[in-house]
């Protein structure tokens, strides 16, 4: 096993090398897939459009997906290195030994390989948190993509430039389809299905149909209905209603699915949706044993109900007390769930759900409700106070995720017309103020008590670091005079990038008196370390109050480089973290880049332009202004990549 990098980076390849060995072992154990050549090589390059590429026996990698060392690399980036190493390695079977018959089948190899690398990562850290992070990405990127002008089926039926289809839908929704089938089959049968796939098709170039047929034959369970998921766009809406009958001791759950009409796909069909669910006793908090009545044909097995009609009623009998239902546990299907939970029920699930993912999901639903409907804040705060003390000891990483407040970008993507980025920002800031006020004292106590160096496991230490950074942010927001000193002290004392960058963010984003000194120090320390320097650019671009001048300063900096995609993404990605900025001076920035990259690097140009794809949802006059700018760009671009994206974006 060999990894090639520039000499000074060789010591930063240890984590990747260990991950490679681990991936090889994991694929043998979980899928029975050994490696087939005598050597396996990875080369790390600092200028690369994608994360990595699975070229047989000699993977080409972006340095950002190989180099990892806690002094230079954040915990999140270390996790990403391990998952991309695994991803490319897993492609050796799902991608190389068995490849795609044609480009339309891209999600055959990508969706399956992402599902495999997600499962691998679930074994590396808190599995609940891995699922949380994967679902968060799906909701933040794939859901908006699927509800806008760039929406397409996981297996597209037409394209101008296939490079435009390395999308969240092909990758992440593709992975979800595989996860649904695996959930339904269970471990053993899924393995029988994949064994069948590998033995039938080794050495061949195949289709999504071949994959589903092999899974069906191997497992003995007909999965052909899942093909519909591959062939149509859009996020299905799953509406659920529950009714408890105390006299009869029954609980009736009504499910209904629907898809928004799509001009290019007139015949949308119902899809099979595995709904993982549980009932809890509202008083004791205990999980009830499920007892579904004869009404149900697709019986609930292991708490998973296969919902494959347009609507259905399920009745549970022997329910002695009013239950709280938990739906779509572990996000068992990539659907948009609508259920009339009360705020109290969500708070209940935050505290009593037995799976960490579902606790997080309940918190997210409650937070979204506070943000969009304006009620529930007190209940959320109380649930946090009840849950955190114990959880912080048990699973600090999960505890840190319960603080996730849906991002402005995600909240904006839930709005289809009359979207005002400033209004969303205001609401979100108001919530953050409330949380800082209510939880400030608790946060300070926690910050002072926690020490990542006392943790033995990486995952636990990562959790403690994440929590401490959140606490610092809360204290700063609350106006605690000591917050900046504590942040600056953390910045200086640590040799760990997550701690250093976490503190730097708090200082910079709150315009602390120490911010400039810390930025100057960071530059001095890391100006020869490209990936760390990307973070320096990113932190400044992501300042909530960044301006056209900030972007001007960063993009004319001597270290800014339009031939290095990572550097471009650092600034553009940072800027795009604040939709208020994206939709003001950001519009010029993204259009200017698309124009320039149209010739120099159309793959990246096309990608970056997508930051503006939801322009049509904006309230006037912004909507017309952005539209005019996009129209003006049209005659100036020539590449297939940028033109295809721009045409789709304008075709709403
Ligand atoms: N196939 C690569 C991957 O997803 C991406 C690329 O084509 O560069 O691993
Ligand atoms: Zn891939």
């Amino acid at each position: 096993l060999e990894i090639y990098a520039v000499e000074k980076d060789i010591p930063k390849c240890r984590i990747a090398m260990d991950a490679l060995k681990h991936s090889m072992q994991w694929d043998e154990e979980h899928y029975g897939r050994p490696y087939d050549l005598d050597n396996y090589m990875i080369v790390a390059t600092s200028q690369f459009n994608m994360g990595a590429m699975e070229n047989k026996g000699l993977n080409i990698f972006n340095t950002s997906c190989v180099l990892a060392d806690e002094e230079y690399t954040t915990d999140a980036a270390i996790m990403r290195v391990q998952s991309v190493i695994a991803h490319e390695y897993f492609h050796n079977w799902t991608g190389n030994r068995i490849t795609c018959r044609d480009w339309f089948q891209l999600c055959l190899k990508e969706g399956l390989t992402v599902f495999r690398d997600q499962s691998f990562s679930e074994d590396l850290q808190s599995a609940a948190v891995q699922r949380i992070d994967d679902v968060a990405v799906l909701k933040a990127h794939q859901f908006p993509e699927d509800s806008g002008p760039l929406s397409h089926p996981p297996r597209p039926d037409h394209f101008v430039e296939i490079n435009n289809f390395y999308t969240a839908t092909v990758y992440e929704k593709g992975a979800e389809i595989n996860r649904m089938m695996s959930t339904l089959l269970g471990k053993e049968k899924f393995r029988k299905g994949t064994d069948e796939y590998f033995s039938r098709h080794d050495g061949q170039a195949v289709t999504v149909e071949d994959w589903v047929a092999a899974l069906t034959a191997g497992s003995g369970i007909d999965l052909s209905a899942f093909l519909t998921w591959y062939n149509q766009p859009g996020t299905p809406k799953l509406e659920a209603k529950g009714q408890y009958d105390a006299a009869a001791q029954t609980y009736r759950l009504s499910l209904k699915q629907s898809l928004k009409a799509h001009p290019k796909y007139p015949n949308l069909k119902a899809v099979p949706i595995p709904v993982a669910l549980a009932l809890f006793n509202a008083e004791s908090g205990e999980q009830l044993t499920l007892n579904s009545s004869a009404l149900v044909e697709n019986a609930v097995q292991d708490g998973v109900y296969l919902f494959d009609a347009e609507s259905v009623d399920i009745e549970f009998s022997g329910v002695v007390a009013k239950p709280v239902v938990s739906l779509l546990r572990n996000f068992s299907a990539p659907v948009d769930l609508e259920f009339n939970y009360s705020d109290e029920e969500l708070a209940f699930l935050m505290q009593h759900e037995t799976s960490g993912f579902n606790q997080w999901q309940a918190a997210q639903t409650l937070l979204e409700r506070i943000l969009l409907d304006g009620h529930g804040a007190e209940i959320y705060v109380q649930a946090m106070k009840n849950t955190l003390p114990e959880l912080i000891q048990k699973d600090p990483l999960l505890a840190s995720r319960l603080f996730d407040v849906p991002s402005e970008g995600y909240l904006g993507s839930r709005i289809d017309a009359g979207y005002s980025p400033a209004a969303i920002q205001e609401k979100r800031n108001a919530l953050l103020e409330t949380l800082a006020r209510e939880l400030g004292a608790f946060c300070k106590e926690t910050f002072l008590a926690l020490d990542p160096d006392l943790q033995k496991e990486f995952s636990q230490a990562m959790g403690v670091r994440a929590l401490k950074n959140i606490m610092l942010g809360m204290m700063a927001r609350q106006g605690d005079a000591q917050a900046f000193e504590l942040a600056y002290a953390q910045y200086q004392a640590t040799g760990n990038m997550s701690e250093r960058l976490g503190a730097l963010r708090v200082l910079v984003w709150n315009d602390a008196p120490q911010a400039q000194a810390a930025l100057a120090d960071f530059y001095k320390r890391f100006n020869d370390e490209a990936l760390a320097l990307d973070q320096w650019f990113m932190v400044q671009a992501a300042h909530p109050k960044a301006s056209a001048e900030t972007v001007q300063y960063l993009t004319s900096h001597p270290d800014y480089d339009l031939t290095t995609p990572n550097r471009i993404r650092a600034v553009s990605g940072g800027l795009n973290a604040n939709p208020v900025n994206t939709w003001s001076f950001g519009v010029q920035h993204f259009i200017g880049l698309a124009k320039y990259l149209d010739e120099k690097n159309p793959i990246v140009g096309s990608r970056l332009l997508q930051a503006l794809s939801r322009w049509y949802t904006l309230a006037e006059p912004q909507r017309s202004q952005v539209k005019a700018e996009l129209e003006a760009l049209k005659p100036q671009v020539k590449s297939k990549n940028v033109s295809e994206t721009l045409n789709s974006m304008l075709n709403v």
Side-chain angles (χ1 to χ4, degrees), residues 58-265:
L58 174 57
N59 289 179
I60 318 281
F61 263 68
N62 189 317
T63 42
S64 71
C65 297
V66 180
L67 307 182
D69 178 301
E70 73 162 306
E71 189 183 344
Y72 305 98
T73 319
T74 62
D75 293 332
I78 291 176
M79 293 307 296
R80 178 162 155 78
V81 164
Q82 302 182 85
S83 91
V84 179
I85 292 277
H87 180 96
E88 305 310 331
Y89 176 69
F90 296 161
H91 266 317
N92 190 54
W93 273 95
T94 50
N96 294 347
R97 296 272 297 234
I98 304 181
T99 194
C100 301
R101 189 192 67 182
D102 51 72
W103 282 118
F104 295 107
Q105 321 297 325
L106 184 59
C107 75
L108 167 68
K109 76 176 176 83
E110 295 305 347
L112 178 52
T113 306
V114 172
F115 172 60
R116 276 150 56 66
D117 82 55
Q118 289 178 347
S119 314
F120 170 82
S121 295
E122 279 170 22
D123 288 352
L124 288 186
Q125 62 160 328
S126 157
V129 173
Q130 182 63 38
R131 186 64 185 137
I132 288 170
D133 292 351
D134 292 334
V135 170
V137 166
L138 185 81
K139 287 192 164 184
H141 301 289
Q142 200 279 324
F143 277 27
E145 179 172 279
D146 225 351
S147 72
L150 300 174
S151 165
H152 54 275
R155 177 170 57 184
D157 50 12
H158 63 276
F159 60 81
V160 175
E161 170 53 71
I162 188 61
N163 271 307
N164 280 335
F165 286 84
Y166 283 70
T167 58
T169 298
V170 167
Y171 277 67
E172 265 70 41
K173 188 173 179 180
E176 292 299 321
I177 302 174
N178 290 305
R179 182 181 293 267
M180 285 190 285
M181 294 192 287
S182 127
T183 302
L184 211 65
L185 295 182
K187 251 200 181 111
E188 245 169 70
K189 289 200 182 105
F190 185 69
R191 173 67 188 267
K192 287 201 171 122
T194 59
D195 283 352
E196 181 66 22
Y197 177 64
F198 293 122
S199 72
R200 273 190 189 186
H201 296 299
D202 189 11
Q204 299 178 3
V206 303
T207 63
V208 164
E209 279 77 7
D210 294 324
W211 159 240
V212 175
L215 272 187
T216 295
S219 68
I221 293 185
D222 183 5
L223 295 166
S224 54
F226 280 86
L227 284 169
T228 309
W229 276 103
Y230 285 100
N231 294 330
Q232 60 188 29
T235 305
K237 182 148 104 183
L238 175 62
E239 284 169 273
K241 289 203 175 77
Q243 210 183 359
Y244 179 58
D245 183 335
Q249 302 201 334
T250 56
Y251 182 77
R252 178 178 287 260
L253 184 66
S254 314
L255 301 175
K256 195 176 138 214
Q257 63 167 300
S258 58
L259 269 165
K260 213 166 71 183
H262 194 295
K264 281 187 252 156
Y265 298 86

